[in-house]
Amino acid sequence: MKDPRIYGLMAEFGDVNTALVAARQTYAAGYRKLDAYSPFPVEELSEAIGFHKNGVALICLIGGLLGGTAAFTLQWWINTISYPINIGGRPLNSWPSFIIVTFEMTILFSGLSAVFGMLALNGLPMPYHPVFNVPQFDAATKDKFFIVIFSSDKKYDPVATRQFLEGLSPLSVAEVPS
Amino acid sequence: MARPTEVEVGEQKAPVIQPGQTFASITDKITGIVLLRPIKGGWVFGLFICFLILQWFLFAVCWLFYKGVGVWGVNIPIGWGFAIVNFVWWIGIGHAGTLISAILLLLRQSWRNSINRFAEAMTLFAVACAGMFPIFHLGRPWLFYWLFPYPNTMTYWPNFRSPLVWDVFAVTTYLTISLVFWFVGLIPDLASMRDQTSNKALKFVFGSLAMGWRNSVRHWNRYETAYLLLGGLATPLVLSVHTVVSFDFSVGIVPGWHTTIFPPYFVAGAIYSGFAMVLVLAIPIRKFYGITDFITMRHLENSAMVMLATGWIVAYGYAFEAFMNWYGGDPYESFLRWNRLHGPYAWSYYLLLFTNLLVPQVLWFKKIRTSPVWLFFISLDVLVGMWLERFVIVVVSLTRDFVNSAFGMYYPTHIDWAILTGTLGFFAACMFLFMRLLPAVSISELKVLLPQAEIKVEHEAEVHQ
């Protein structure tokens, strides 16, 4: 069934509620390899296509823990092992004065992990993607909503899927060349 | 970018977005400022003036690097002159941008969506201005990297028990996180720019910056998580940055510095001056770029109320400082009080009370809170007042500390003034360029506020019941 020259079928919608109903019906009809596109974040749309959880928070947590641990360990190692200075017999491992740098590095590493983790999971930067081959897709960043059923889906059929999408009251349905 | 439960269009409050806008009109209006609007004489003239000031700044900095910090008015005992005053002032201004983008995000104040983009840009440029001063002050600025822990042939490490090293970590983290926060917010809008322009070169530039963003809802889902996490991380960060800046003073034992009220009082002062700068920028921008539909009276009034509230926290700080000078019974602290009121720099303390405490009280009146002209001038007054506050803290304390033989006076030179004015020129030049090169209002976040974005179909689970 799979045609390597075709990435999928794209339906265009004029408002968020039609797109949301269409996305739910597509998912209910058994399509699993699909994606939706909206000009602003719509939580309900990603739920409708069966995308509930993402790993960004976990990556952020791991990054933060690593950053904080590394910062504290570095300061401890510098002040007790690498470069110990005895100032009037005060303790070398003066941990309260290491808290601020530890805190700042925790924030820095968790923030950067969240951002780079998000980009990596999204597969960005991605210079080429088939959906951009469809001329009306430019409006995805403006005011239109799109649903794409990938040709890799088990239920995908060039004729039946197109008919199905046309039944969802879209503005247009187009084939996406890969 | 939390979804608002409703867009409040109460009788009392002005709307966040004027009615009648659509997804397309928002995109056209904001991308149009960059892509379609012809370059006007006023913009060229403004940028030219800023550019001239920038040249003056470059001259002053070159002279400073050539001759050393002796070209400034600093001396012993006043080792921290304008450089530290300006550093604290600029970094405080930056804090309002983070407050708007992070803290108001967490508090679900969706009105912030129209002003967060340029407020974040303001943060970046202000932190860049602030970051220059400690480097200028180093004496040998080309060795600034000695402040970072890296393995080196001198087998030495920075002193992690010093507030000055904490400051390096706090400010560089703040700059980095502000930059990624701002850039992450820009990605979807850069994609909008890419799709709106027909110019091949611009398409390439915006397309490269947008990194192939295609508005997939899976991407949005992760994007929203990352954005919210950044908001949650930037909130304690911004509080910690000015706290660490205040540690530069309060860890020392100089009278007027060694006090525990400094961290909250510095943070409140930072937000106070930052909102003043937001208003100073927003009022002309909304007028000249015709975006009064997006930056409405509601934004101006809310900012004015934040200013009034933080102004009172600052007032509490002044009052408590005075009380502790008396109640603490320390002779040097009592002398500091006398010196602030009657010493050689008494004029700066009285001017500070006038500009920071007295004048902003007119914000109690709604008529003034909703008048852009009044707000503009009150904000300028607050900016001057907050600069004076740092002047009083740095200069008045250092000129009169413990022993009479260590008393001195501080007179800034024309190089001091050139560098202060020069950073203002740098800041303004960056804002001029930003307005013309990038979308100054967040397009995707504004769309969320429109009534058309409201989900009207019920959830599946509820439908099936």
Side-chain angles (χ1 to χ4, degrees):
Chain A
M1 197 51 74
K2 187 164 157 58
D3 182 347
R5 285 166 303 171
I6 298 301
Y7 180 72
L9 275 169
M10 174 188 279
E12 180 188 8
F13 299 90
D15 74 289
V16 62
N17 289 299
T18 323
L20 182 55
V21 172
R24 281 176 187 161
Q25 287 179 355
T26 315
Y27 194 78
Y31 291 104
R32 287 297 175 270
K33 295 202 168 168
L34 75 165
D35 205 353
Y37 304 86
S38 61
F40 53 87
V42 184
E43 210 179 313
E44 289 84 350
L45 258 179
S46 60
E47 301 243 317
I49 63 162
F51 186 76
H52 302 287
K53 279 189 176 166
N54 65 62
V56 175
L58 182 66
I59 296 178
C60 174
L61 175 70
I62 294 172
L65 289 175
L66 281 178
T69 316
F72 189 87
T73 314
L74 179 71
Q75 294 178 79
W76 169 82
W77 176 77
I78 286 172
N79 283 291
T80 57
I81 295 170
S82 173
Y83 198 57
I85 303 177
N86 185 338
I87 304 161
R90 287 181 181 82
L92 293 174
N93 179 22
S94 56
W95 63 268
S97 55
F98 304 157
I99 294 297
I100 286 169
V101 172
T102 308
F103 172 79
E104 301 296 343
M105 289 297 102
T106 310
I107 299 275
L108 179 68
F109 278 75
S110 39
L112 292 179
S113 325
V115 171
F116 288 111
M118 179 269 285
L119 290 177
L121 291 175
N122 284 351
L124 300 176
M126 186 180 283
Y128 173 79
H129 195 275
V131 289
F132 292 113
N133 291 332
V134 181
Q136 56 268 46
F137 190 71
D138 274 3
T141 52
K142 195 173 185 184
D143 57 349
K144 297 292 190 290
F145 301 79
F146 295 85
I147 291 176
V148 173
I149 300 176
F150 304 146
S151 60
S152 52
D153 193 282
K154 271 183 212 148
K155 273 198 75 182
Y156 180 84
D157 177 275
V159 181
T161 305
R162 178 181 276 270
Q163 275 173 350
F164 170 77
L165 282 175
E166 272 165 0
L168 300 172
S169 56
L171 298 177
S172 70
V173 176
E175 208 160 58
V176 185
S178 58
Chain B
M1 228 180 324
R3 280 190 88 72
T5 43
E6 56 176 317
V7 177
E8 295 163 57
V9 192
E11 288 169 301
Q12 307 248 310
K13 289 178 177 171
V16 176
I17 301 180
Q18 289 295 336
Q21 297 287 347
T22 63
F23 298 140
S25 73
I26 289 180
T27 315
D28 289 340
K29 183 95 189 174
I30 297 170
T31 59
I33 291 176
V34 179
L35 299 173
L36 302 175
R37 191 183 157 96
I39 290 179
K40 293 194 178 162
W43 183 84
V44 175
F45 181 72
L47 184 62
F48 179 70
I49 297 289
C50 296
F51 187 74
L52 285 185
I53 299 174
L54 199 56
Q55 300 314 303
W56 187 26
F57 174 66
L58 285 179
F59 159 76
V61 170
C62 289
W63 189 242
L64 169 76
F65 285 0
Y66 178 68
K67 297 290 275 189
V69 288
V71 299
W72 283 346
V74 289
N75 55 46
I76 300 300
I78 303 97
W80 283 8
F82 268 24
I84 304 302
V85 175
N86 298 342
F87 163 70
V88 181
W89 186 66
W90 271 120
I91 206 148
I93 285 172
H95 282 15
T98 319
L99 183 102
I100 288 170
S101 51
I103 300 182
L104 297 186
L105 172 80
L106 298 185
L107 297 177
R108 297 185 144 235
Q109 297 292 312
S110 51
W111 57 273
R112 85 183 243 295
N113 287 10
S114 9
I115 52 172
N116 68 333
R117 170 68 45 74
F118 84 81
E120 285 166 29
M122 176 194 89
T123 294
L124 275 182
F125 305 145
V127 175
C129 290
M132 287 187 237
F133 284 104
I135 294 179
F136 293 161
H137 204 264
L138 284 177
R140 288 186 290 170
W142 50 93
L143 297 177
F144 74 95
Y145 59 88
W146 282 12
L147 287 159
F148 293 101
Y150 69 101
N152 55 67
T153 52
M154 300 171 285
T155 68
Y156 101 120
W157 293 100
N159 178 8
F160 281 105
R161 296 175 183 119
S162 160
L164 300 180
V165 170
W166 302 344
D167 224 17
V168 173
F169 280 84
V171 173
T172 48
T173 300
Y174 185 48
L175 183 64
T176 317
I177 293 292
S178 302
L179 183 69
V180 293
F181 203 176
W182 181 68
F183 186 72
V184 165
L186 265 172
I187 295 171
D189 289 359
L190 291 167
S192 285
M193 301 288 282
R194 171 196 69 202
D195 294 342
Q196 286 296 304
T197 181
S198 47
N199 179 319
K200 277 248 164 69
L202 282 181
K203 229 181 181 48
F204 177 78
V205 172
F206 286 121
S208 309
L209 289 172
M211 298 186 290
W213 178 263
R214 58 180 188 274
N215 290 48
S216 156
V217 290
R218 293 165 205 270
H219 291 188
W220 275 123
N221 187 305
R222 297 187 187 108
Y223 175 93
E224 287 275 86
T225 309
Y227 200 75
L228 197 61
L229 283 170
L230 276 181
L233 291 165
T235 300
L237 175 66
V238 69
L239 299 180
S240 85
V241 172
H242 229 60
T243 299
V244 173
V245 169
S246 81
F247 283 171
D248 290 344
F249 298 94
S250 57
V251 171
I253 54 162
V254 174
W257 290 6
H258 196 57
T259 149
T260 47
I261 200 161
F262 261 32
Y265 155 53
F266 264 53
V267 171
I271 291 163
Y272 189 32
S273 60
F275 266 88
M277 190 58 107
V278 166
L279 283 174
V280 166
L281 297 174
I283 290 167
I285 286 174
R286 72 195 279 275
K287 184 173 186 320
F288 292 122
Y289 287 93
I291 46 176
T292 43
D293 277 7
F294 305 141
I295 302 177
T296 61
M297 205 44 88
R298 171 88 170 273
H299 298 101
L300 303 189
E301 198 185 346
N302 283 0
S303 307
M305 288 197 277
V306 174
M307 254 164 60
L308 190 58
T310 47
W312 273 99
I313 303 179
V314 171
Y316 174 82
Y318 297 157
F320 215 77
E321 254 187 334
F323 173 76
M324 288 311 289
N325 291 153
W326 167 74
Y327 186 73
D330 181 271
Y332 300 105
E333 293 281 341
S334 312
F335 174 68
L336 171 89
R337 176 63 21 202
W338 183 89
N339 186 39
R340 277 191 180 170
L341 293 171
H342 308 287
Y345 290 103
W347 58 269
S348 64
Y349 193 65
Y350 290 114
L351 199 56
L352 157 71
L353 294 181
F354 176 75
T355 51
N356 248 4
L357 292 191
L358 202 62
V359 174
Q361 297 316 315
V362 294
L363 292 175
W364 286 106
F365 300 100
K366 192 176 172 72
K367 267 220 173 103
I368 289 177
R369 283 203 309 273
T370 50
S371 151
V373 178
W374 270 97
L375 282 179
F376 185 77
F377 287 104
I378 291 166
S379 303
L380 286 180
D381 163 87
V382 169
L383 285 171
V384 172
M386 285 308 296
W387 187 87
L388 282 168
E389 181 193 303
R390 279 67 182 250
F391 180 85
V392 166
I393 291 171
V394 171
V395 173
V396 177
S397 287
L398 285 176
T399 45
R400 296 281 184 277
D401 57 11
F402 299 99
V403 218
N404 301 45
S405 59
F407 285 7
M409 285 297 280
Y410 171 73
Y411 302 104
T413 63
H414 67 280
I415 298 287
D416 280 304
W417 289 109
I419 291 178
L420 170 60
T421 324
T423 46
L424 286 168
F426 172 79
F427 177 79
C430 288
M431 286 307 295
F432 270 107
L433 291 174
F434 163 73
M435 284 307 296
R436 289 303 315 219
L437 296 178
L438 291 169
V441 180
S442 175
I443 302 170
S444 62
E445 286 181 285
L446 266 193
K447 287 176 183 166
V448 180
L449 298 182
L450 286 183
Q452 293 95 307
E454 209 180 315
I455 302 290
K456 294 197 183 95
V457 287
E458 287 176 55
H459 193 265
E460 267 171 308
E462 291 158 23
V463 177
H464 289 305
Q465 275 169 5

